[in-house]
Amino acid sequence: MTSLSLGMALAAAAPAAAQEAAQAAAGPNLAPGTVVYDSEGAEIGPVSSEVGDNIVVMLGDKPVTLPKNAFGQSDKGPAITITRAQLTAAVDQAAAQTAAALDAAIQPGADILGANGSAVVGKVKLVEADGIVVATSSGDVKMPRHAFFLSPKGLATSFTAEQFAAAVAEATAPAAASEAVADADTETPDRSAN
């Protein structure tokens, strides 16, 4: 009877072991909201989203994109193989390198591409502390620095060419209207002298 009970216990445990093995093969739970830990068990932050083969994890207020294969399973939950301090240092270093490359690209005369990278929407005319003046066929427009990024094709704006053209038209319309009013005022004869 002992062998029968032992055999039944093994048979009963087999589905649970198979389920655990299947979960381990599938990888850790990386659903949005799941907390991710570092190699020392410290909390990094929750999973924000899944983008293709990458997982976006919130590190404080910064979204950090990591490949799915960077995650393992710890006793606490999904974990990465480096510490929170190492991840923070890597994110800060990457941000500094990106900012330096963007600063180098934002130079007078540089072409600015639309978000999809297929059309030149303007040229950098002037770099100021509070924004970038962009020369366009419709006139100059000042844009905040955060509206620019480096694409694989070069300096780009976060607008498509169509969105950019519409925004420039909207931004330059009040200036054109003000100029028209000023012109009309200078052309109207002074009738009070009669």
Side-chain angles (χ1 to χ4, degrees), residues 69-98:
N69 64 4
F71 296 87
Q73 183 67 37
S74 72
D75 293 339
K76 291 184 172 184
I80 59 172
T81 59
I82 61 174
T83 66
R84 181 182 174 101
Q86 291 170 321
L87 180 61
T88 300
V91 167
D92 291 346
Q93 181 181 10
Q97 289 172 343
T98 299

Side-chain angles (χ1 to χ4, degrees), residues 183-194:
D183 289 345
D185 286 345
T186 59
E187 293 174 8
T188 304
D190 186 5
R191 297 182 193 261
S192 62
N194 293 345

Side-chain angles (χ1 to χ4, degrees), residues 11-176:
Q19 184 178 10
E20 287 175 15
Q23 286 176 344
N29 173 15
L30 298 171
T34 303
V35 175
V36 174
Y37 299 90
D38 73 1
S39 61
E40 295 177 344
E43 184 176 317
I44 290 177
V47 171
S48 171
S49 62
E50 179 178 336
V51 182
D53 287 337
N54 297 309
I55 301 295
V56 179
V57 177
M58 296 304 297
L59 177 62
D61 63 347
K62 298 176 188 174
V64 178
T65 303
L66 300 168
K68 284 181 183 178
N69 64 4
F71 296 87
Q73 183 67 37
S74 72
D75 293 339
K76 291 184 172 184
I80 59 172
T81 59
I82 61 174
T83 66
R84 181 182 174 101
Q86 291 170 321
L87 180 61
T88 300
V91 167
D92 291 346
Q93 181 181 10
Q97 289 172 343
T98 299
L102 183 59
D103 287 345
I106 298 177
Q107 297 299 321
D111 285 339
I112 302 169
L113 302 172
N116 59 10
S118 62
V120 174
V121 297
K123 286 188 178 289
V124 174
K125 181 175 183 177
L126 185 63
V127 179
E128 298 179 341
D130 62 341
I132 311 302
V133 178
V134 178
T136 73
S137 60
S138 301
D140 296 351
V141 64
K142 188 179 231 178
M143 298 178 64
R145 185 176 284 279
H146 69 267
F148 300 92
F149 66 97
L150 278 178
S151 75
K153 295 181 180 180
L155 182 61
T157 180
S158 52
F159 299 98
T160 64
E162 295 78 20
Q163 292 168 329
F164 188 82
V168 168
E170 185 177 314
T172 56

Side-chain angles (χ1 to χ4, degrees), residues 5-28:
S5 297
L6 182 58
M8 288 177 63
L10 288 173
Q19 184 178 10
E20 287 175 15
Q23 286 176 344

